[in-house]
Amino acid sequence: MLQVKQELLGALAAGLEALSPGSGEKAAFESPKVAAHGDFASTAAMQLAKPLKLNPRQVAETLRASLLASAPFQQWVESVEIAGPGFLNIKLKPQAKQQAVKEVLATGERYGMQPANGQHIMVEFVSANPTGPLHLGHGRQAALGDAICSLYASQGWDVHREFYYNDAGVQIEKLAMSTQLRAKGFKPGDDCWPTDPDNPESKNFYNGDYVKDIADDFLAKKTVKADDREFTASGDVDDIDSIRQFAVAYLRHEQDLDLKAFEVKFDHYFLESSLYTSGKVDETVKRIEASGKTYEKDGALWLATTEFGDDKDRVMRKSDGTYTYFLPDVAYHISKWERGFTKAVNIQGTDHHGTIARVRAGLQAASVGIPKGYPDYVLHTMVRVMKGGVEVKISKRSGGYVTLRDLIDWTSKDAVRFFLTSRKADTEYTFDVDLAVAKNNDNPVYYVQYAHARICSVLTAWGGDVASLSSADLSPLTSPQALALMLQIAKYPEMLRDAAMDLAPHDVTFYLRELAAAYHSYYDAERILVDEENVRNARLALVAATAQVLHNGLAVLGVSAPRKM
């Protein structure tokens, strides 16, 4: 129905242009809030009334007459009604909606997708420090990031998935020392096990059982291999450098397993340490200093980020000569830009909100041609987990939080992906484990997948060639339920486009639930495998198109579309 809508928009633009030269470019349709009012709506008459100094309904009457006289409206539109102060409510003929079925069956998995546009985007997500298993925050990032990548790919972008991790710094040292203590036979709670004196409840070292596993394998002189590295342990408990490298490689491998279970793949793993060894950090400092926006104070080097909209100036280089963490972040984003990624999206927790202004300020001060507002950010809240009506907080494996692997083991990869993308990223979310495994309509992923499986069952019972349905006569599809289902199918391409533009994978989950509901209503209203061949084939074509769109939408989320359930 894309072509139908474009033809109707063209007619509307011509009508507006005739009324007021230059207004045609503003031609647009809205969806009526009440389905009974029509399929499309236009507020153009009310918008033109004031500049034309006419009554809105008078403008609406003139515009209505113009539209009804146009060839596209005569071909595809059943009626145009004027409502309220000047709304135009447009009701389509059944054959207009039937075009959506033809488009889906003709394009299959490409339905809703746009051709390559030559633009490059990098989406950075997960980016977990190699100090422990992936927690649910990382899981939410993985689900959001992968879905956003799929959305942009659907719109013709060349998408690059990147994982950035801090392979140096204080946290890595804590991991190495925690592993060393475990290797020497100590455990959390022993007198020698460090705690934070200012917060006795907060352990300064890593306490999960996985640290003992690392220590045991280190002592056994094992070799571990991750996507980006391989290392063999020395087995020497006093060799802290070997312990550090082994622990990082071990946890990188563990995180690889987590991501594999979640079916998330990255194009590149970017090491923070490479920014130092390549000289990118020093080069960035020189660029920023050359801008004249830095100054010395209390032995530290400061950047006047307030000149770029930050709430206060920030330290770049501390008095001990080390850099604050936002400086390598600036160097990293310059690297993204220099690698040709004119658009970059970062998926991070809301605790990173304060870094946005300073990173962008640093990029502007570096004066390398990066536009303001680069990169884009999607900030997400953490996830609470309920199981058996009780909140779950502790995982023995991690020593303090539910891991992504825990959640996948308790439910499924499909449920975790669907659930973690089903709300806006910045919305608090509670993951109900019991709901995620329920086989009923209250479980949203089950509800959507069941609609797909239900259609596959019908097509299997029919036993014909689905490809042959692309030539079916669709004129029998005129019932209210069939028309509603076809209109829902027709909304998919624009939904996909808008979800990509808004970085909003949750729009896909909402859409899929609405499409599944429209299908279930249709299934309950009309028997599909009737004796009359032309009616049967038309109905089979409609449900086959529905299954294809359900499959396409689930694929965007990284969720399977089972044929049987």
Side-chain angles (χ1 to χ4, degrees):
M1 209 173 82
L2 284 172
Q3 185 60 39
V4 170
K5 188 171 184 180
Q6 290 304 313
E7 290 179 16
L8 296 178
L9 279 172
L12 176 60
L16 294 175
E17 196 69 25
L19 282 169
S20 177
S23 63
E25 62 184 25
K26 298 179 181 178
F29 290 137
E30 300 175 4
S31 296
K33 293 182 180 178
V34 179
H37 291 171
D39 302 305
F40 296 144
S42 173
T43 59
M46 294 181 289
Q47 295 171 5
L48 282 180
K50 188 173 182 179
L52 292 177
K53 298 181 180 179
L54 295 172
N55 181 284
R57 286 189 69 90
Q58 182 182 350
V59 176
E61 288 285 1
T62 303
L63 185 56
R64 176 179 179 274
S66 171
L67 294 176
L68 289 175
S70 70
F73 271 71
Q74 289 180 5
Q75 181 178 4
W76 302 118
V77 173
E78 186 172 290
S79 65
V80 179
E81 303 293 340
I82 299 173
F87 290 101
L88 289 176
N89 290 331
I90 301 164
K91 186 175 182 179
L92 300 174
K93 293 178 180 178
Q95 53 263 45
K97 299 177 184 179
Q98 291 159 8
Q99 296 303 306
V101 175
K102 293 182 178 180
E103 290 171 11
V104 175
L105 295 180
T107 55
E109 292 186 355
R110 296 292 304 172
Y111 181 63
M113 300 185 73
Q114 300 300 314
N117 60 22
Q119 299 187 80
H120 306 279
I121 180 174
M122 176 192 286
V123 182
E124 179 214 329
F125 57 107
V126 181
S127 296
N129 292 341
T131 54
L134 297 182
H135 56 60
L136 295 191
H138 299 133
R140 195 170 192 184
Q141 283 195 35
L144 290 168
D146 205 41
I148 286 172
C149 288
S150 295
L151 283 169
Y152 266 93
S154 77
Q155 301 307 297
W157 288 70
D158 176 31
V159 180
H160 181 89
R161 293 165 166 84
E162 189 151 288
F163 186 122
Y164 172 85
Y165 64 88
N166 307 93
D167 58 338
V170 174
Q171 297 305 319
I172 299 297
E173 291 307 311
K174 289 181 180 179
L175 172 66
M177 289 187 283
S178 301
T179 306
Q180 184 180 51
L181 285 173
R182 283 283 198 167
K184 290 181 176 181
F186 300 108
K187 62 183 183 301
D190 289 347
D191 291 341
C192 64
W193 200 269
T195 61
D196 184 344
D198 297 323
N199 184 7
E201 297 300 317
S202 173
K203 303 299 184 183
N204 230 12
F205 278 17
Y206 292 94
N207 306 321
D209 285 353
Y210 70 93
V211 179
K212 184 178 186 304
D213 295 338
I214 298 171
D216 290 344
D217 284 358
F218 177 81
L219 292 172
K221 300 182 181 180
K222 290 188 177 180
T223 297
V224 289
K225 184 177 182 179
D227 278 354
D228 66 330
R229 62 183 63 204
E230 182 176 327
F231 190 79
T232 300
S234 70
D236 181 357
V237 295
D238 294 318
D239 187 352
I240 192 67
D241 185 62
S242 179
I243 292 173
R244 181 190 305 106
Q245 293 190 60
F246 182 79
V248 169
Y250 185 101
L251 288 170
R252 281 291 304 111
H253 172 70
E254 285 292 303
Q255 291 179 357
D256 287 345
L257 294 177
D258 292 338
L259 294 169
K260 184 177 181 180
F262 210 42
E263 296 186 11
V264 173
K265 295 181 179 179
F266 288 90
D267 298 302
H268 186 231
Y269 289 86
F270 194 102
L271 280 63
E272 180 193 10
S273 60
S274 70
L275 294 169
Y276 293 91
T277 57
S278 66
K280 289 288 185 183
V281 170
D282 290 335
E283 182 182 326
T284 299
V285 173
K286 291 176 182 177
R287 281 173 166 168
I288 294 176
E289 285 184 308
S291 71
K293 303 297 184 182
T294 62
Y295 58 90
E296 297 275 351
K297 179 183 174 183
D298 300 328
L301 179 65
W302 294 68
L303 173 61
T305 55
T306 50
E307 295 189 25
F308 301 95
D310 200 2
D311 60 341
K312 62 181 180 180
D313 292 347
R314 305 290 176 174
V315 174
M316 286 174 48
R317 186 174 58 230
K318 294 181 284 188
S319 57
D320 62 4
T322 60
Y323 295 113
T324 55
Y325 65 89
F326 97 90
L327 198 281
D329 281 353
V330 174
Y332 175 43
H333 285 87
I334 291 176
S335 167
K336 291 182 181 182
W337 179 261
E338 291 177 340
R339 283 184 279 158
F341 297 107
T342 54
K343 187 173 182 65
V345 178
N346 294 353
I347 319 294
Q348 296 176 325
T350 50
D351 56 325
H352 287 80
H353 183 272
T355 68
I356 297 176
R358 66 195 73 167
V359 169
R360 287 176 173 170
L363 292 172
Q364 292 305 301
S367 301
V368 293
I370 294 177
K372 293 181 179 179
Y374 183 96
D376 292 309
Y377 286 86
V378 174
L379 301 182
H380 67 87
T381 59
M382 296 299 287
V383 181
R384 296 172 65 239
V385 178
M386 299 293 291
K387 188 178 182 184
V390 178
E391 183 174 359
V392 184
K393 294 183 177 181
I394 302 299
S395 166
K396 185 177 181 182
R397 178 168 174 262
S398 70
Y401 56 85
V402 176
T403 68
L404 174 60
R405 198 97 59 90
D406 289 333
L407 208 54
I408 295 172
D409 290 344
W410 292 339
T411 58
S412 68
K413 178 269 296 182
D414 284 347
V416 177
R417 275 184 174 259
F418 196 98
F419 276 47
L420 293 183
T421 54
S422 64
R423 296 288 186 275
K424 289 184 65 175
D426 59 359
T427 302
E428 295 290 339
Y429 186 66
T430 299
F431 191 107
D432 188 333
V433 172
D434 299 323
L435 177 62
V437 297
K439 291 179 170 55
N440 58 47
N441 291 343
D442 292 332
N443 178 350
V445 68
Y446 178 87
Y447 184 68
V448 173
Q449 289 181 320
Y450 179 60
H452 183 270
R454 200 177 195 185
I455 295 172
C456 291
S457 176
V458 171
L459 294 173
T460 299
W462 168 53
D465 181 8
V466 174
S468 69
L469 297 173
S470 61
S471 59
D473 172 16
L474 303 179
S475 60
L477 300 177
T478 57
S479 71
Q481 293 83 4
L483 293 172
L485 180 54
M486 288 186 289
L487 187 62
Q488 193 65 29
I489 289 172
K491 292 179 180 178
Y492 180 75
E494 288 189 357
M495 179 282 299
L496 209 58
R497 180 201 65 195
D498 293 345
M501 290 177 60
D502 297 337
L503 302 172
H506 64 277
D507 285 350
V508 182
T509 68
F510 292 163
Y511 170 83
L512 289 172
R513 293 171 72 175
E514 291 172 357
L515 179 60
Y519 171 72
H520 290 309
S521 295
Y522 174 69
Y523 182 87
D524 292 341
E526 292 190 345
R527 192 161 67 91
I528 297 168
L529 299 179
V530 295
D531 292 334
E532 192 173 350
E533 184 178 6
N534 71 317
V535 174
R536 180 182 68 237
N537 287 349
R539 293 175 180 177
L540 285 166
L542 173 55
V543 301
T546 305
Q548 184 67 67
V549 179
L550 287 168
H551 175 278
N552 293 0
L554 287 168
V556 168
L557 302 175
V559 176
S560 69
R563 298 184 61 84
K564 294 181 180 180
M565 290 183 70

